[in-house]
Amino acid sequence: MDKQQEFVLRTLEERDIRFVRLWFTDVLGFLKSVAVAPAELEQAFDEGIGFDGSAIEGFARVYESDMIAKPDPSTFQILPWRAEAPGTARMFCDILMPDGSPSFADPRYVLKRALARASDLGFTFYTHPEIEFFLLKDKPVDGSVPTPADNSGYFDHTPQNIGMDFRRQAITMLESMGISVEFSHHEGAPGQQEIDLRYADALSTADNVMTFRLVMKQVALEQGVQATFMPKPFSEHPGSGMHTHLSLFEGDRNAFYESGSEYQLSKVGRSFIAGLLKHAAEISAVTNQWVNSYKRIWGGSERTAGAGGEAPSYICWGHNNRSALVRVPMYKPGKTGSARVEVRSLDSGANPYLAYALLLAAGLKGIEEGYELPPGAEDDVWALSDAERRAMGIEPLPQNLGEALTLMERSDLVAETLGEHVFDFFLR
């Protein structure tokens, strides 16, 4: 038994933890959970826990349904909203086949494969998400318009604002689970919040995003409101995205940074961005997987939103240009060796494992094939005419989910990255 497993078993005893929830994610990005008693955990570490994979979206067909959930002890955390004894803890699982081999249906394994490919090229992949979502007073069941939990706006600081109490409690809960928060504020629309997680390796970030969504919904329920990660719940307000900052490291060195080059961006960084742009349309069914996602991307009201609210509609990059799909943020003079790129299309309701795997694969393809980065867009891309955009070679993102799926279906990159099983199920 390794040290992490020993630590988990010792903590269960010392903290009187009676229930351990084993978490994993289905292909569509929904969190699944099975609870085990602490006495079963030693065996679970060795052999995993068997379950019926045919009951989980995208996992297995009925005649090959036996699957195994094997807990990853490095993800052990006590659930803070179960504070009263006896306590409850959680671990994320890797999904295995009965013979112990990894399941190709497991989104976590999809991301692990992409990270292994980056590692073969000498890179570690870091991500830093800015997660937006709405707090609603009620959850309409009849299709009527929901009511935002407050009427505040971008960066507003108002007395007795439910959002402030909510963010304080939610962040305290996240940090008690080892998830570091960098910023939090009220976003541009009534009831809209943003919480930014500190950057981490992409697998930890994806696990953190799954935990984050559950914590937000849990804290909202405790405060008598509802949290929703729907991309665009209101036609007249900005939608909710998950702008994510990406960087590659070679050991301790940021591979995107080159002193003295334009925007301090290395050739590796430029080719990575070129890969993101070239493959943006074919991966958008995964980064924006809901019918409602395209209401956000083509919604229009984002253009007048607060600084973070704009959703990109066109495939281009720019330096500090918030209308661009990929943005190179302002170089920070005080942080030598710092360089990153921000992808602005992601929904906060995407499957983070699959989305990060595809962003990484697109960027690596750009590096391996030596893609040339086209000129950056300095103008507000929305303000240009169609003819001007065409002249600059700026293509639109898909207009709807159907178009996005058609492009995905033709994509070798997506098929290779997701693997045949996830690719076929996702398209279906």
Side-chain angles (χ1 to χ4, degrees), residues 163-180:
M164 282 166 58
D165 280 348
F166 170 88
R167 291 193 301 272
R168 187 177 65 221
Q169 188 183 340
I171 289 164
T172 303
M173 211 174 259
L174 288 170
E175 296 201 321
S176 75
M177 295 182 73
I179 297 174
S180 299

Side-chain angles (χ1 to χ4, degrees), residues 86-320:
T88 302
R90 72 93 158 103
M91 276 178 284
F92 280 94
C93 293
D94 293 308
I95 305 301
L96 309 177
M97 301 306 286
D99 65 0
S101 64
S103 164
F104 280 87
D106 180 11
R108 210 165 180 259
Y109 183 55
V110 171
L111 180 53
K112 281 185 163 184
R113 285 203 314 273
L115 294 171
R117 206 167 140 257
S119 180
D120 290 344
L121 297 169
F123 298 121
T124 319
F125 182 47
Y126 287 93
T127 53
H128 154 66
E130 304 172 352
I131 311 173
E132 297 171 339
F133 57 98
F134 278 89
L135 295 179
L136 307 174
K137 280 185 182 168
D138 49 19
K139 190 174 184 180
V141 290
D142 60 355
S144 57
V145 178
T147 309
D150 63 53
N151 283 311
S152 301
Y154 191 65
F155 269 41
D156 278 1
H157 182 101
T158 44
Q160 302 303 313
N161 178 342
I162 189 168
M164 282 166 58
D165 280 348
F166 170 88
R167 291 193 301 272
R168 187 177 65 221
Q169 188 183 340
I171 289 164
T172 303
M173 211 174 259
L174 288 170
E175 296 201 321
S176 75
M177 295 182 73
I179 297 174
S180 299
V181 170
E182 203 163 61
F183 300 110
S184 73
H185 61 85
H186 198 286
E187 249 303 332
Q192 192 178 28
Q193 318 295 321
E194 177 175 315
I195 298 178
D196 301 359
L197 304 185
R198 192 171 290 282
Y199 86 99
D201 68 277
L203 185 65
S204 299
T205 306
D207 288 344
N208 289 347
V209 169
M210 295 305 300
T211 306
F212 178 97
R213 296 204 290 230
L214 184 69
V215 169
M216 295 307 111
K217 290 181 176 183
Q218 188 70 38
V219 174
L221 286 173
E222 288 175 16
Q223 297 204 3
V225 292
Q226 298 273 345
T228 177
F229 293 87
M230 185 177 184
K232 196 167 172 74
F234 299 97
S235 55
E236 71 275 25
H237 296 308
S240 293
M242 185 167 69
H243 301 167
T244 300
H245 296 257
L246 316 174
S247 50
L248 289 180
F249 274 75
E250 294 175 294
D252 293 335
R253 192 182 73 78
N254 185 323
F256 287 177
Y257 176 81
E258 186 185 311
S259 177
S261 63
E262 189 183 22
Y263 312 136
Q264 317 295 326
L265 201 57
S266 69
K267 185 173 187 323
V268 164
R270 297 176 74 81
S271 293
F272 190 92
I273 296 172
L276 292 174
L277 297 178
K278 185 175 173 77
H279 300 288
E282 70 207 64
I283 69 174
S284 70
V286 175
T287 56
N288 308 89
Q289 70 171 32
W290 310 103
V291 169
N292 183 257
S293 302
Y294 297 85
K295 305 270 201 310
R296 171 180 161 250
I297 285 176
W298 293 99
S301 66
E302 269 80 344
R303 277 133 231 208
T304 54
E310 310 90 337
S313 310
Y314 297 95
I315 300 169
C316 60
W317 75 282
H319 178 52
N320 229 33

Side-chain angles (χ1 to χ4, degrees), residues 38-57:
E40 304 300 316
L41 210 54
E42 203 165 328
Q43 186 180 353
F45 282 140
D46 288 341
E47 300 170 17
I49 300 283
F51 71 99
D52 177 4
S54 67
I56 308 292
E57 283 283 18

